Amino acid sequence: MDQNNYVLIMAGGIGSRFWPKSRDHFPKQFLDILGTGQSLLQITYSRFLKICPAEHIFIVTNSQYQAIILDQLEGISADQLICEPSRNNTAPCIAYASFKLAALNPDANLIVAPSDHFILFEDVFVERLRFALAYTQQHEVLVTLGISPIRPDTGYGYIQYGEETENGIYKVAQFKEKPTLQKAQEYLADGNYLWNAGIFIWKASAIIGALKKYAPVIHDLFESGKAHYNTSQERAFIDKNYANAPNISIDYAVMEQADNIYTIPANFGWSDLGTWASLHEAAEKNSENNVIAAKQVDLKDTQNSIIHINENKLAVIRGLDNFIVVDDGNALLIYPKDQEQEIKEVVRQMTVEFGDSFI
């Protein structure tokens, strides 16, 4: 394993599309949502141990989840938690982490990846990442893994790519927002579009240079703390200054502007597990095409649905097709699966109407 390779696992989101299973105090990355006996974060962590040693894996998260992460991840110390005191989107937390790791090792070569993705073919995933790391080690570039699309999906952003610059490495032409179905079909037919998985590979120096050029306010804020990173003063500097960073994603701040962006097409059985429907697609199903996480459930005439019921409760369900049924704690969700894109907004409205105790 290359001593310059590091992994940043992004684990600070609240996963509101997975409500009511995912809550603010214990979001989906910490749940055993696939029924494997491990949380999504634990699965992700184990996967990256194939890339670098535990001491080179850092978790970017919100301060409130520190205890959960230390409890779930054996081999991770508090020094490896990069805690954001406020949620300011991905550009500030990636900037903070990159400056911190550059101070630790000026030659740091990073993978930045979400904590809650489903990867079916882990060996292919690891091989593609090693290939990407070898390329970024030699070049001042920003690389993203692109997923070869298998259907015209409207739930993902897309990467349009151009010519092949080296074997398996393609120049990114532009990033595309989540498309309409017609657009997604056109992308699939064109053959030079990939799903944007939000998995990035770059040297710390390369992303810091890109931030300086395209997001100078963010760059300058975190550069001003260079003397404090990996010292006892780091926490005080971050607590004082972090909230002043613009609330912006790394995609908008850098990726959609930079001219040194490349993509590596890959196919390793990927899903972002962003919604209940994507979980239904990835998880094991019974003969009626239902995904069931329940100890005591009596289903009749019910198909194509996802059923999550508290283990101390008996559920009797009849006559549902293509539904989400989730009973958890003080909340119950029964919702058509094909309308699940509304759930995030429903949760937001409930917060206004009923307060935070249900969120």
Side-chain angles (χ1 to χ4, degrees):
M1 293 184 182
D2 193 304
Q3 61 185 15
N4 294 326
N5 290 346
Y6 293 82
V7 174
L8 297 175
I9 299 176
M10 312 288 282
I14 58 172
S16 57
R17 288 184 179 88
F18 267 94
W19 185 89
K21 206 76 180 170
S22 180
R23 305 289 185 108
D24 180 61
H25 69 280
F26 208 89
K28 71 165 181 171
Q29 60 267 31
F30 307 126
L31 298 171
D32 176 16
I33 207 104
L34 289 167
T36 64
Q38 287 189 303
S39 71
L40 293 177
L41 175 63
Q42 288 171 318
I43 293 169
T44 301
Y45 174 63
S46 297
R47 191 182 295 141
F48 282 120
L49 286 172
K50 299 173 183 177
I51 300 280
C52 65
E55 58 267 26
H56 280 209
I57 298 177
F58 287 73
I59 316 296
V60 182
T61 190
N62 193 272
S63 301
Q64 74 186 97
Y65 305 133
Q66 183 167 342
I68 300 172
I69 294 169
L70 291 176
D71 181 58
Q72 289 199 355
L73 300 186
E74 188 177 338
I76 292 291
S77 70
D79 291 339
Q80 290 163 264
L81 302 189
I82 300 177
C83 294
E84 44 181 354
S86 60
R87 288 191 171 95
N88 287 35
N89 218 315
T90 53
C93 65
I94 287 174
Y96 168 27
S98 300
F99 272 103
K100 178 180 173 65
L101 289 184
L104 208 59
N105 178 355
D107 297 319
N109 198 17
L110 319 179
I111 296 167
V112 181
S115 58
D116 51 5
H117 286 187
F118 174 79
I119 308 287
L120 185 59
F121 307 116
E122 289 200 354
D123 289 348
V124 178
F125 177 73
V126 168
E127 184 277 324
R128 290 287 81 190
L129 283 174
R130 286 183 178 145
F131 177 66
L133 285 165
Y135 185 69
T136 56
Q137 187 73 53
Q138 301 299 323
H139 302 84
E140 287 290 313
V141 294
L142 309 177
V143 172
T144 178
L145 284 192
I147 310 300
S148 304
I150 55 174
R151 61 180 179 275
D153 202 299
T154 60
Y156 301 138
Y158 284 71
I159 302 165
Q160 182 187 15
Y161 63 92
E163 75 278 5
E164 188 174 20
T165 59
E166 289 191 27
N167 184 30
I169 312 270
Y170 295 81
K171 190 84 163 67
V172 170
Q174 57 184 320
F175 291 90
K176 300 282 192 177
E177 298 291 327
K178 294 175 183 176
T180 62
L181 180 58
Q182 183 182 338
K183 270 289 178 198
Q185 288 167 338
E186 289 173 13
Y187 292 167
L188 207 61
D190 286 347
N192 64 327
Y193 285 85
L194 303 165
W195 288 336
N196 185 358
I199 300 170
F200 307 114
I201 307 95
W202 47 50
K203 286 203 294 283
S205 59
I207 189 62
I208 288 170
L211 287 162
K212 185 174 184 177
K213 186 173 182 180
Y214 301 106
V217 173
I218 293 176
H219 172 274
D220 293 353
L221 186 149
F222 289 102
E223 188 184 47
S224 71
K226 276 174 76 171
H228 304 305
Y229 298 128
N230 308 307
T231 76
S232 58
Q233 285 82 48
E234 178 180 334
R235 185 79 256 149
F237 169 80
I238 289 299
D239 286 344
K240 181 180 178 182
N241 294 282
Y242 193 91
N244 297 326
N247 189 323
I248 187 172
S249 71
I250 197 69
D251 300 81
Y252 284 126
V254 172
M255 302 303 283
E256 294 185 7
Q257 302 184 69
D259 57 7
N260 62 334
I261 301 186
Y262 295 82
T263 189
I264 296 173
N267 191 358
F268 37 76
W270 172 86
S271 169
D272 72 344
L273 291 186
T275 62
W276 284 111
S278 62
L279 175 62
H280 182 271
E281 187 178 297
E284 193 174 322
K285 291 168 274 290
N286 70 3
S287 59
E288 302 299 315
N289 203 36
N290 295 314
V291 173
I292 302 170
K295 287 213 171 167
Q296 304 170 101
V297 62
D298 180 15
L299 292 186
K300 288 186 174 65
D301 190 27
T302 292
Q303 54 273 329
N304 308 313
S305 296
I306 186 160
I307 315 289
H308 271 245
I309 304 293
N310 270 352
E311 60 181 41
N312 62 348
K313 191 170 289 188
L314 167 66
V316 180
I317 298 170
R318 180 170 183 172
L320 292 185
D321 185 7
N322 207 35
F323 262 76
I324 302 162
V325 180
V326 184
D327 173 75
D328 192 82
N330 60 0
L332 170 66
L333 174 74
I334 304 173
Y335 220 84
K337 187 147 60 73
D338 60 4
Q339 296 173 43
E340 66 164 354
Q341 69 276 5
E342 300 170 357
I343 292 175
K344 186 174 184 178
E345 177 59 22
V346 167
V347 172
R348 192 195 67 78
Q349 290 176 357
M350 284 193 312
T351 309
V352 174
E353 192 168 345
F354 301 111
D356 294 338
S357 62
F358 297 97
I359 312 302

